[in-house]
Amino acid sequence: MVAVLKLDQRSDLQLQFSLAPAGQTYINHQYSHYPFHICRAQYVDSRPSGLATIYLQSSAGGIFANDRLSCEFDTMPESQAHITTQSSTIVHRMDQGDAHHSVIIRAEENSLLEYMPDPMILFPMAKMHSSVLVQMHPTATVIMADAFTSHDPLANQQMANQEMTNEEYFSEFQSETRVENFDGVLMCLDRYRVSGTQFCSGQLGVMGKNKIQGTFMLLNSTHPVGELCNLLRAYLESNFVGYSGVSHLPNDCGIWVRLVAIDAFSLRSAILELWAMTRNALVGSRPCQRKK
């Protein structure tokens, strides 16, 4: 069964990838308006050959109150694409209202889509809702990663000036990742909601001294993931300074990893290594570094 492409004209960003006769993936359809800007496809990996790397840029300087941002990414049969952002995304202060960022991913037969944006940085009073819907063919592969942290720039400035201050936190962060097949049957669901006070309180069993949380997912129903799951777990147990959990996803649809770390550098390094190990297991080669 091949998915029928239904692009939502209300989406702020639409990218559809197709495989050219020569074996290189190209952008078959592109639509974007403010605040999104799309860089030209780059080809930095020798394996898988022809994989297109796309950097997403924003001219808005972050996400603001009452933003309703939506993206759609489609990989047509046999195409391969990696999507990332130019840098972390600031979610600005919201004294009133909230913001929503939604992503729809459709991965068709034998396609590969990697969606790996840099972390969201939640400023004081930010109220953010993030959702990702993945619809995929049984032979498709989707790799995803995301992360978020809290930051109060005014508190840091006051501390630098040796002034006493009370750090402010974001109001709320909600996240939902839903994975379905093309018939709309739910394969797995990851959903959580956390307040800034909970996230930054230092309570044992919540975040403790850790300051940033991330998630890594491999969605694949054809590759035997048992050995890879063990490899990822062994790497994190030996090299990651923080807390991590590695699990098989239900319905044999892949691997899920949750991480919390003391700083963004530790988390980023761990996620990049998980990605490299996963890519190597799937195609026999580690990915080249994406420069930012």
Side-chain angles (χ1 to χ4, degrees):
M1 178 180 179
V2 178
V4 177
L5 182 61
K6 297 180 180 179
L7 294 175
D8 187 347
Q9 296 303 318
R10 296 171 297 177
S11 296
D12 303 298
L13 171 64
Q14 300 169 3
L15 290 176
Q16 182 190 78
F17 300 92
S18 294
L19 186 68
Q24 191 174 67
T25 295
Y26 67 100
I27 300 176
N28 183 43
H29 170 82
Q30 174 180 328
Y31 170 79
S32 64
H33 62 72
Y34 178 87
F36 292 106
H37 173 73
I38 308 303
C39 294
R40 184 176 181 180
Q42 300 183 33
Y43 301 91
V44 298
D45 294 310
S46 58
R47 296 182 63 183
S49 177
L51 180 143
T53 293
I54 301 295
Y55 286 85
L56 305 182
Q57 295 182 325
S58 171
S59 58
I63 297 176
F64 297 85
N66 300 314
D67 276 350
R68 298 293 185 266
L69 305 176
S70 57
C71 307
E72 293 184 66
F73 306 123
D74 296 84
T75 47
M76 302 302 284
E78 309 293 338
S79 62
Q80 301 170 325
H82 175 95
I83 300 173
T84 188
T85 53
Q86 61 179 352
S87 61
S88 298
T89 299
I90 295 174
V91 184
H92 290 274
R93 186 182 188 97
M94 301 175 190
D95 295 303
Q96 294 182 347
D98 58 11
H100 292 247
H101 185 281
S102 64
V103 174
I104 298 176
I105 292 172
R106 299 183 184 92
E108 300 197 22
E109 186 175 1
N110 293 321
S111 67
L112 167 65
L113 178 61
E114 298 177 341
Y115 178 58
M116 300 184 62
D118 284 350
M120 287 188 178
I121 303 175
L122 306 177
F123 275 23
M125 301 301 292
K127 191 173 184 181
M128 184 70 201
H129 302 255
S130 174
S131 66
V132 179
L133 170 62
V134 179
Q135 299 171 326
M136 57 189 300
H137 189 276
T139 62
T141 298
V142 176
I143 296 174
M144 296 191 299
D146 64 60
F148 74 96
T149 188
S150 180
H151 178 63
D152 183 353
L154 294 181
N156 287 356
Q157 292 174 11
Q158 292 170 349
M159 290 174 64
N161 295 329
Q162 297 183 341
E163 299 177 10
M164 297 299 293
T165 184
N166 292 319
E167 185 175 2
E168 290 188 282
Y169 310 129
F170 63 91
S171 293
E172 184 178 78
F173 183 74
Q174 293 188 40
S175 174
E176 178 178 294
T177 301
R178 184 181 183 92
V179 181
E180 301 176 347
N181 63 21
F182 285 154
D183 295 321
V185 177
L186 180 66
M187 299 170 65
C188 67
L189 175 66
D190 181 31
R191 177 191 293 155
Y192 61 87
R193 179 174 62 186
V194 62
S195 71
T197 302
Q198 292 171 326
F199 189 80
C200 303
S201 64
Q203 296 178 19
L204 184 65
V206 182
M207 288 293 290
K209 296 181 180 180
N210 295 294
K211 302 299 183 183
I212 184 169
Q213 174 178 299
T215 304
F216 177 86
M217 296 179 73
L218 164 65
L219 303 173
N220 181 290
S221 299
T222 59
H223 186 84
V225 297
E227 182 178 352
L228 177 58
C229 192
N230 292 333
L231 288 173
L232 299 184
R233 186 179 294 114
Y235 162 75
L236 291 170
E237 289 176 350
S238 301
N239 300 278
F240 181 57
V241 180
Y243 179 79
S244 63
V246 183
S247 302
H248 288 91
L249 287 168
N251 300 305
D252 295 322
C253 67
I255 298 173
W256 171 95
V257 184
R258 184 88 86 213
L259 311 100
V260 293
I262 195 69
D263 56 42
F265 177 80
S266 299
L267 185 76
R268 172 179 168 80
S269 298
I271 287 180
L272 288 178
E273 181 60 25
L274 295 178
W275 169 48
M277 295 173 67
T278 299
R279 176 82 80 80
N280 187 61
L282 294 175
V283 304
S285 179
R286 292 168 65 92
C288 293
Q289 180 181 2
R290 268 58 177 174
K291 296 181 179 181
K292 298 185 181 182

